[in-house]
Amino acid sequence: ETDVPDRNDPKVKWFGPGVHKAGAIRLTDGETLYLARGAVVHGALYAQGRDITVAGRGVLTGVDYPRCHGPFFFFTTFQGCTNLVIRGVTLTEPYHWTLTLFDCEKVLIEDIRICAGNMLNDDAIDPTNCRDVTIRGVFARAQDDIIALKGMQACPRAERTPCENFLIEDCTFWTDMANVFRIGYECNASRFANFTARNI
């Protein structure tokens, strides 16, 4: 890797090689979660704010938690984020939806691996009322849906907010029992528009 953050930066939550029992991890404006190569972090993630990054070559696992019961409602939740980057990491054994975006914009999800496939409701990526999202170079396996675009009234500030401007490219998707793309199963959004998928 060529863009490794400074582990001594107070805005960086750094996990080095080894097994870590982190539990609930929270990120806010300008913060970075970095999982170094060889890191296996047991926990769940909730992020809210601007300019947040999740990066590294390590693993975040929810294996310690029973179905639908973890530190947060979803395994990883990004709420109201702008300029969000998720790159390089592996997300495995989620206890609920794996990578969940609520009311986010200007999002890049790149070169990550999602290794689920262990239960119903382990959706890989659920962008809910989100705009300007790029998903690139991702491998995702789940028992349930892989990319599920949603609109949900329960999403703060996002009621009727559109779900639009998606580019999904150069990815490998594998669902055991559901849908690779599911658009509008929950559809409380003013529109679903401008969705491009290529080289999938």
Side-chain angles (χ1 to χ4, degrees):
E1 291 182 87
T2 58
D3 190 19
V4 178
D6 180 359
R7 65 185 304 168
N8 297 313
D9 185 334
K11 288 281 193 176
V12 175
K13 297 186 179 183
W14 178 291
F15 292 91
V19 177
H20 307 269
K21 297 286 189 176
I25 303 169
R26 295 179 182 272
L27 298 176
T28 188
D29 291 346
E31 291 190 329
T32 294
L33 172 64
Y34 186 75
L35 310 180
R37 185 183 300 275
V40 178
V41 179
H42 292 246
L45 173 62
Y46 183 91
Q48 185 172 22
R50 300 182 61 89
D51 304 315
I52 291 171
T53 299
V54 177
R57 291 293 183 268
V59 175
L60 179 66
T61 177
V63 71
D64 291 347
Y65 308 110
R67 180 176 181 267
C68 297
H69 291 87
F72 307 113
F73 192 74
F74 300 113
F75 177 43
T76 69
T77 303
F78 299 89
Q79 176 80 56
C81 293
T82 302
N83 298 328
L84 170 66
V85 175
I86 305 168
R87 178 183 286 128
V89 297
T90 296
L91 306 176
T92 186
E93 300 291 344
Y95 56 82
H96 203 173
W97 296 354
T98 306
L99 199 167
T100 309
L101 307 165
F102 285 109
D103 190 23
C104 295
E105 59 184 344
K106 299 180 183 176
V107 177
L108 173 63
I109 301 170
E110 186 172 47
D111 190 31
I112 71 168
R113 285 147 301 283
I114 292 175
C115 302
N118 55 320
M119 61 168 203
L120 190 66
N121 301 122
D122 66 351
D123 300 15
I125 303 175
D126 286 354
T128 303
N129 303 93
C130 293
R131 286 85 57 208
D132 304 319
V133 176
T134 298
I135 300 171
R136 178 182 295 126
V138 169
F139 170 85
R141 179 190 178 183
Q143 184 181 128
D144 214 317
D145 301 326
I146 302 298
I147 306 289
L149 274 66
K150 300 173 182 284
M152 296 180 69
Q153 184 175 358
C155 182
R157 299 192 301 111
E159 185 176 355
R160 304 291 295 165
T161 300
C163 205
E164 62 183 359
N165 303 334
F166 281 75
L167 172 61
I168 302 172
E169 61 182 359
D170 304 328
C171 295
T172 301
F173 295 147
W174 172 5
T175 175
D176 292 350
M177 299 179 65
N179 307 277
V180 167
F181 295 111
R182 192 167 199 177
I183 299 175
Y185 183 72
E186 290 96 351
C187 56
N188 189 22
S190 56
R191 64 183 174 275
F192 292 83
N194 301 331
F195 180 92
T196 299
R198 61 192 181 204
N199 194 29
I200 306 299

